Amino acid sequence: MQLPDMNLLPALNALLREGSVTGAAAEMSVSASAMSRTLGRLRRVLGDPLLVPAGRGLALTPRALELRPQVEAALIGALAALRPAQPLDIASVARQFTVRTNDGLAVVIGPELTGRIAREAPGIRLRILPEGEEDPADLRDRVDLDIGHLPELPHDVRSLELPPHGYVAVCRADSPHAQEPLSVEGFAEAAHITVSRRGRFHSVVDERLAELGLRRNVLATVPTQMTACFLALHSDALALVPAPVGARAAAVMPLTVLEIPLSLPQVPIGMAWHARLDADPAHAWLRRAVARAAAGG
């Protein structure tokens, strides 16, 4: 498709508004002869004289009168589209963001994040999806932000590291385990509740215990961290959960947080999003809000 010369649009707008070649020339800061030549080009393009003699001045033709509001609106729209992005007023943004994360991070990050949204961006709604069989390609359309342990990411996905976390054991506050610090032997002998979305009983904990010639007793494996905390609340078992989750759970349940007497690696955490959202001001605000929540507010 051959497009017309869009440089003619401002001149046409000036001619239709002023109804005068001289007035339009002054508005466009060009000579009257240059504006007269532009009027000639517009007449050929539009197939209409646009301005015709009327006494000592010029009058707009019916076609020109019809075009005047259309041209003004088109010019306003074009200028708005080409103008640099204005500073974001997050309070006026009405958007829905889809965030994918696990239940533990939702418990840790969610309260601070939703509180900030309620205070600063009431038009934003969060749609939180659980972790599953994650595919980074989901970030290209159905997921706006992935938070958690990130897989290898494709070239068109951006990411930011968040504070990593270690693991703790939580037990019922009146459990025998809560009375004194855990020894390695006592830790291995206790019944354990572990968290695995795939139902795995074996983890790095077993590897560290095996190095010391010890084995543990896994009572149950559950898919979510809060389920592990609830099961520990009603047994003498230890639930092994991320430290921030244990702290949140102990703040609202009669649970005690215990250090695990093993050297365990920290779990890296990050958030990922597609490059299409990299420069989006509202999404950038959401990423900053998540980073602050993950850092403890």
Side-chain angles (χ1 to χ4, degrees):
M1 182 177 64
Q2 185 175 1
L3 295 175
D5 183 358
M6 300 304 291
N7 291 320
L8 294 174
L9 192 61
L12 176 59
N13 184 60
L15 285 164
L16 297 179
R17 186 169 58 249
E18 295 292 332
S20 161
V21 172
T22 304
E27 180 177 328
M28 297 293 295
S29 300
V30 298
S31 66
S33 59
M35 183 56 69
S36 182
R37 290 193 295 273
T38 300
L39 175 58
R41 290 182 62 194
L42 286 165
R43 284 169 169 167
R44 291 191 294 274
V45 169
L46 296 173
D48 188 271
L50 299 175
L51 292 169
V52 296
R56 297 190 176 188
L58 296 173
L60 298 177
T61 66
R63 172 68 170 148
L65 290 171
E66 177 187 350
L67 284 173
R68 186 159 59 183
Q70 298 176 26
V71 170
E72 183 176 6
L75 187 59
I76 291 173
L79 291 174
L82 295 174
R83 188 176 297 122
Q86 300 301 303
L88 177 70
D89 177 13
I90 193 63
S92 66
V93 172
R95 291 272 292 274
Q96 175 176 289
F97 288 111
T98 298
V99 177
R100 182 167 57 192
T101 191
N102 61 57
D103 74 305
L105 283 172
V107 166
V108 171
I109 296 175
E112 165 65 21
L113 180 59
T114 54
R116 186 177 294 276
I117 288 173
R119 293 190 305 271
E120 300 178 15
I124 287 180
R125 294 193 304 169
L126 284 184
R127 181 171 174 257
I128 299 180
L129 300 180
E131 287 182 335
E133 297 298 325
E134 282 74 39
D135 183 351
D138 292 339
L139 291 167
R140 293 174 182 149
D141 44 32
R142 74 184 196 93
V143 174
D144 297 307
L145 196 64
D146 244 340
I147 309 172
H149 179 59
L150 302 178
E152 185 175 346
L153 299 172
H155 72 279
D156 57 341
V157 171
R158 307 289 182 259
S159 65
L160 179 70
E161 289 185 4
L162 298 173
H165 62 239
Y167 273 82
V168 296
V170 298
C171 65
R172 198 178 71 247
D174 59 355
S175 165
H177 303 302
Q179 307 312 312
E180 56 187 32
L182 282 174
S183 66
V184 176
E185 292 77 14
F187 175 75
E189 290 172 2
H192 288 193
I193 298 167
T194 66
V195 180
S196 170
R197 287 183 289 125
R198 296 177 176 85
R200 293 173 179 166
F201 286 89
H202 191 85
S203 74
V204 67
V205 173
D206 299 279
E207 296 171 9
R208 294 293 183 268
L209 287 173
E211 293 170 359
L212 300 173
L214 298 171
R215 295 181 62 184
R216 65 173 176 154
N217 169 32
V218 179
L219 174 64
T221 177
V222 296
T224 68
Q225 293 158 13
M226 294 311 296
T227 300
C229 291
F230 272 102
L231 292 185
L233 191 61
H234 296 283
S235 70
D236 284 332
L238 302 176
L240 276 55
V241 296
V245 176
R248 286 293 175 99
V252 295
M253 303 180 194
L255 293 171
T256 296
V257 178
L258 303 171
E259 288 195 21
I260 297 175
L262 293 172
S263 177
L264 300 175
Q266 294 235 309
V267 179
I269 300 296
M271 59 178 165
W273 63 95
H274 192 263
R276 65 188 170 85
L277 296 168
D278 207 26
D280 178 57
H283 194 274
W285 181 90
L286 177 65
R287 298 196 301 268
R288 290 193 298 272
V290 168
R292 284 194 291 264

